[in-house]
Amino acid sequence: MLLLILVFPFLGFLSGSLFGRFIGLGISYITTMFTFFSFLISIRLLIEIASTGDVYIVKMLEWIYIDSLVLDWNFCFDSLTAVMLVIVTFISTLVHLYSTEYMENDPHLPRFMSYLSLFTCFMLILVTANNFLQMFVGWEGVGVSSYLLINFWFTRIQANKAAIKAMLINRVGDFALLLAIFTIYFVFNSLNYDIVFSLASLSENSRIIFGNFEIPTIDLICIFLFIGAMGKSAQLGLHTWLPDAMEGPTPVSALIHAATMVTAGVFLVSRCSYIFEFSPFTLNIIILIGSATAFFASTTGLFQNDMKKVIAYSTCSQLGYMIFACGLSSYEVGLFHLSNHAFFKALLFLGAGSVIHALSDEQDMRKMGGVRRILPLSYSIMLIGSFALMGFPFLAGFFSKDVILEISYGTYTICGQFSYILGTLAAFATAFYSIRLLYLVFLASPNSNKNVIFNAHEGSIRMAFPLFILCILSIFVGYLTKDLFIGFGTDYWGPALFVSPYKYVLSDIEFLDVRFKLLPLIVTLLGASSSFLLYKYGLKSYYNLKQTSLFIFFYTFFNKKWYFDRIYNEFISQNALISSYNYFYKTIDRGLIEKVGPFGIVNAVKTTSTGIKKYQTGNIRNYLIYFTIFIFVIIICKKIIFFI
């Protein structure tokens, strides 16, 4: 019965791709129904595992039997998998239902719904895998599906560019993950989770030769695994694809950013906690990159004008929180934030989709304003989602984000203090741009076309119902699940996660100074109030400030995303293309290869045959002279060879 969790989305994909053309709009409800059935079984599984603590291994078929590489196609259902299954199937169900109206006027609706189901199916394969190679199949499948979804409107140039960019950047991380898999098999002679995890401690002091350097084996494996996670979870350096992925339809943004693709990296690090715990060096790197990502994305979101890109950078920032929580060996807290984030981030994206849909597909916040009275439901939804994102007291984000910051301070290490400072600054920026979004879209003076304002309206019940459900969960899910996931003494995670006993700090943070516990909240309230006051009463001073050279410099720097795209384009991609053209194409392909390759062989044959043709006179005397000379040369060569 557990396999039906994976089978139902696959049936949705088959029905949409094979019969969607004949069924028409009804295919959207069929795919939604299949995903909903998968969600119901996932809920039952979560309740059963939470009450019993059992781990289920479902053996499906024999897969690879080559020498010592023995892999079966098995599925693992433990506490970590159960949480991910519920999140993925639930968000996917709501996105499917939301899309039935959002995309109903699109002539390619069946193709869109089949892509959504395929994406969900591969994500479920990823989280239920029982070995690294099977996980890699789901990992690559998610990448391919994301390309199809981002490039759904393939007639748009920007959608083409965004899809190709997402594919290429993720290939960097995927290549590193593949190297990690190769290294794991080389060291442990197996790719099964249980075997690799049980042998990880034995390789703690072993070393391996890589690139003429002797490196600790565990460190090398963990670095490769983390680079793979960086690609999927859009960490600093491999993050540039995530904001551009907004070129896809809004339901795609909600599915990719909330619960599926971007959380795959966090899931990978958590699943491999048995390996990461024996590599303190890699854990410190994870802390530094995660906290830097949170700070970078939050500062960049301050100066974005596209509504969806602001929310996209908030996703990148929250992923930074999850990653550095895992680096602090608090995997359960990172997963707790992942589960909370899935609901309020899906709420934000779908709420933004309602606003964009109502305003004739306008995404620039500067061209909105004053729609609070016209779209009261969307305003309420975006308000709750933004407050949950900020970590406002007693909403979903409050229970997980504050714990992450408390743990970062409570570790009492340099990396921990560094992450605490950057995480706190990121909390300020998050509150600032969240209130900025709400003000520019709903509270500011109307700045859009009169006809657009007059025709704006709320969506039907098919769009409102998913928003209402997500709204309720964004308020209560953090409070309802905190004791189960991170409560003192909880044994929910069981063998799914491993933490070294001396690294467990959840109990220690209860005794932190109350000042450090309240500082994130104070900073959040300060950021929110300063943003509201600035845009409500200080716009004149703000516009005067914008004319100064210092402000222009910072505005340009943050608006251009710290120039990461420019650096990649001008210094890496452009130079690589120029070098490829000058050296590989002109010098090697059109030069050396042509000279010794096809054209070279043809020319050599033509020249040789032309020369030989001169000696074909038909005179027997000349032939005898040539033969005599040939024999003489052979004799001389023989003498020389034997003399030597």
Side-chain angles (χ1 to χ4, degrees):
M1 183 176 180
L2 295 178
L3 291 182
L4 292 177
I5 299 175
L6 290 84
V7 170
F8 280 132
F10 185 69
L11 291 176
F13 163 69
L14 289 180
S15 60
S17 57
L18 297 178
F19 309 109
R21 180 179 299 180
F22 309 102
I23 299 175
L25 295 177
I27 195 63
S28 60
Y29 298 101
I30 294 174
T31 54
T32 304
M33 179 186 64
F34 279 128
T35 312
F36 179 67
F37 289 158
S38 181
F39 165 67
L40 291 179
I41 303 174
S42 300
I43 282 288
R44 178 183 173 183
L45 174 67
L46 178 64
I47 295 172
E48 188 171 344
I49 289 179
S51 57
T52 63
D54 294 337
V55 177
Y56 302 100
I57 304 294
V58 180
K59 297 183 179 180
M60 186 173 179
L61 51 86
E62 296 180 351
W63 189 21
I64 299 176
Y65 282 75
I66 304 174
D67 196 19
S68 62
L69 182 60
V70 179
L71 292 176
D72 295 325
W73 193 272
N74 299 336
F75 297 96
C76 174
F77 298 91
D78 58 3
S79 54
L80 176 57
T81 301
V83 172
M84 294 299 297
L85 288 177
V86 170
I87 294 172
V88 171
T89 54
F90 180 71
I91 299 298
S92 182
T93 300
L94 295 182
V95 169
H96 275 75
L97 181 60
Y98 185 89
S99 301
T100 58
E101 180 178 347
Y102 191 90
M103 301 291 293
E104 65 178 351
N105 295 324
D106 196 293
H108 302 290
L109 175 64
R111 178 165 61 89
F112 180 77
M113 301 304 291
S114 65
Y115 286 170
L116 287 181
S117 297
L118 181 65
F119 190 96
T120 305
C121 180
F122 276 121
M123 190 65 194
L124 297 180
I125 291 174
L126 191 158
V127 300
T128 56
N130 197 37
N131 59 74
F132 283 98
L133 193 59
Q134 186 179 335
M135 181 271 294
F136 190 73
V137 172
W139 190 276
E140 289 299 302
V142 167
V144 173
S145 303
S146 67
Y147 174 85
L148 297 173
L149 287 169
I150 296 170
N151 200 32
F152 177 74
W153 288 323
F154 53 85
T155 55
R156 298 167 56 177
I157 300 294
Q158 291 302 320
N160 296 154
K161 291 181 178 179
I164 293 172
K165 188 176 185 179
M167 179 66 74
L168 289 176
I169 292 178
N170 273 279
R171 290 294 74 75
V172 176
D174 296 352
F175 180 68
L177 180 59
L178 199 59
L179 290 178
I181 293 173
F182 290 156
T183 310
I184 288 171
Y185 179 69
F186 177 78
V187 174
F188 301 105
N189 210 28
S190 176
L191 292 177
N192 290 300
Y193 285 158
D194 50 356
I195 297 176
V196 174
F197 295 162
S198 61
L199 297 176
S201 60
L202 302 178
S203 301
E204 186 177 4
N205 298 319
S206 66
R207 305 179 77 85
I208 190 173
I209 303 298
F210 181 80
N212 294 327
F213 294 98
E214 193 178 33
I215 303 173
T217 304
I218 293 294
D219 287 351
L220 184 65
I221 293 173
C222 290
I223 287 172
F224 283 148
L225 287 172
F226 179 59
I227 294 174
M230 285 177 62
K232 278 288 189 288
S233 292
Q235 295 302 289
L236 191 65
L238 297 179
H239 69 279
T240 56
W241 69 271
L242 190 62
D244 293 344
M246 297 297 99
E247 293 298 331
T250 297
V252 173
S253 304
L255 190 60
I256 290 177
H257 286 241
T260 50
M261 185 173 175
V262 296
T263 61
V266 182
F267 170 81
L268 176 64
V269 176
S270 301
R271 172 63 78 192
C272 298
S273 59
Y274 284 86
I275 304 176
F276 280 98
E277 282 300 292
F278 297 101
S279 179
F281 173 76
T282 310
L283 288 177
N284 287 332
I285 292 177
I286 293 174
I287 295 171
L288 296 176
I289 292 181
S291 55
T293 303
F295 178 73
F296 154 78
S298 60
T299 55
T300 305
L302 288 171
F303 298 96
Q304 299 301 309
N305 298 311
D306 189 308
M307 188 179 184
K308 289 174 65 177
K309 283 194 175 182
V310 173
I311 304 174
Y313 276 107
S314 75
T315 299
C316 193
S317 179
Q318 299 306 306
L319 287 168
Y321 280 104
M322 301 174 204
I323 288 293
F324 82 72
C326 293
L328 294 166
S329 297
S330 297
Y331 306 98
E332 68 276 22
V333 180
L335 292 169
F336 180 43
H337 191 55
L338 185 153
S339 63
N340 292 340
H341 172 264
F343 300 113
F344 64 71
K345 187 50 56 73
L347 178 66
L348 282 172
F349 270 113
L350 296 183
S354 296
V355 175
I356 294 168
H357 189 68
L359 298 179
S360 303
D361 297 326
E362 180 60 65
Q363 294 184 196
D364 194 332
M365 297 187 297
R366 296 170 296 182
K367 298 179 181 179
M368 300 180 182
V371 298
R372 179 181 80 255
R373 301 180 187 277
I374 305 171
L375 306 173
L377 178 62
S378 298
Y379 173 61
S380 303
I381 286 166
M382 293 295 294
L383 185 68
I384 293 173
S386 298
F387 274 49
L389 172 65
M390 292 159 48
F392 197 79
F394 311 115
L395 298 184
F398 169 76
F399 294 98
S400 52
K401 183 192 287 187
D402 276 29
V403 174
I404 292 175
L405 293 174
E406 289 173 14
I407 289 174
S408 65
Y409 183 82
T411 53
Y412 300 110
T413 62
I414 296 175
C415 290
Q417 301 303 304
F418 179 78
S419 63
Y420 179 78
I421 294 171
L422 290 189
T424 304
L425 294 175
F428 176 86
T430 301
F432 193 97
Y433 65 65
S434 297
I435 298 299
R436 174 177 177 263
L437 184 148
L438 290 172
Y439 188 87
L440 292 179
V441 175
F442 298 101
L443 303 177
S445 301
N447 200 30
S448 54
N449 187 279
K450 182 191 270 187
N451 293 328
V452 172
I453 294 292
F454 283 161
N455 295 324
H457 60 281
E458 296 281 9
S460 68
I461 187 67
R462 287 177 291 169
M463 292 180 66
F465 180 74
L467 295 173
F468 176 75
I469 297 296
L470 289 170
C471 189
I472 297 297
L473 290 173
S474 297
I475 297 173
F476 296 109
V477 72
Y479 175 77
L480 295 175
T481 59
K482 64 182 178 66
D483 290 331
L484 177 65
F485 289 163
I486 62 170
F488 186 73
T490 179
D491 59 349
Y492 170 75
W493 299 106
L497 302 176
F498 171 73
V499 181
S500 298
Y502 65 90
K503 291 184 179 179
Y504 193 79
V505 297
L506 271 177
S507 57
D508 296 338
I509 65 174
E510 297 295 328
F511 303 98
L512 282 180
D513 193 324
V514 69
R515 293 175 297 177
F516 298 106
K517 285 178 170 264
L518 293 177
L519 183 60
L521 176 60
I522 295 172
V523 168
T524 297
L525 296 175
L526 183 62
S529 58
S530 59
S531 177
F532 180 78
L533 293 174
L534 175 65
Y535 283 94
K536 180 70 174 177
Y537 304 107
L539 281 181
K540 186 176 180 180
S541 302
Y542 177 66
Y543 290 139
N544 292 332
L545 183 63
K546 287 181 69 174
Q547 308 304 317
T548 61
S549 57
L550 183 63
F551 185 89
I552 292 173
F553 170 78
F554 281 106
Y555 180 87
T556 306
F557 179 75
F558 291 120
N559 186 257
K560 297 296 182 181
K561 314 160 195 174
W562 290 31
Y563 292 108
F564 270 100
D565 287 299
R566 186 172 179 179
I567 292 170
Y568 287 162
N569 292 335
E570 295 186 6
F571 295 98
I572 299 178
S573 302
Q574 189 173 335
N575 289 330
L577 290 173
I578 293 173
S579 301
S580 299
Y581 178 77
N582 290 332
Y583 298 105
F584 291 100
Y585 179 70
K586 292 176 66 176
T587 305
I588 298 178
D589 188 31
R590 295 295 299 272
L592 182 63
I593 294 177
E594 293 294 353
K595 288 180 180 179
V596 301
F599 288 126
I601 294 172
V602 169
N603 293 331
V605 172
K606 185 186 290 186
T607 304
T608 305
S609 61
T610 302
I612 295 174
K613 205 164 92 173
K614 295 178 181 178
Y615 299 101
Q616 295 179 347
T617 61
N619 193 329
I620 296 178
R621 185 181 61 183
N622 292 342
Y623 293 159
L624 289 173
I625 293 172
Y626 299 152
F627 183 74
T628 304
I629 294 172
F630 177 71
I631 296 297
F632 182 74
V633 171
I634 289 179
I635 293 171
I636 292 185
C637 291
K638 183 179 179 182
K639 294 284 186 185
I640 294 172
I641 292 171
F642 279 102
F643 179 77
I644 294 172

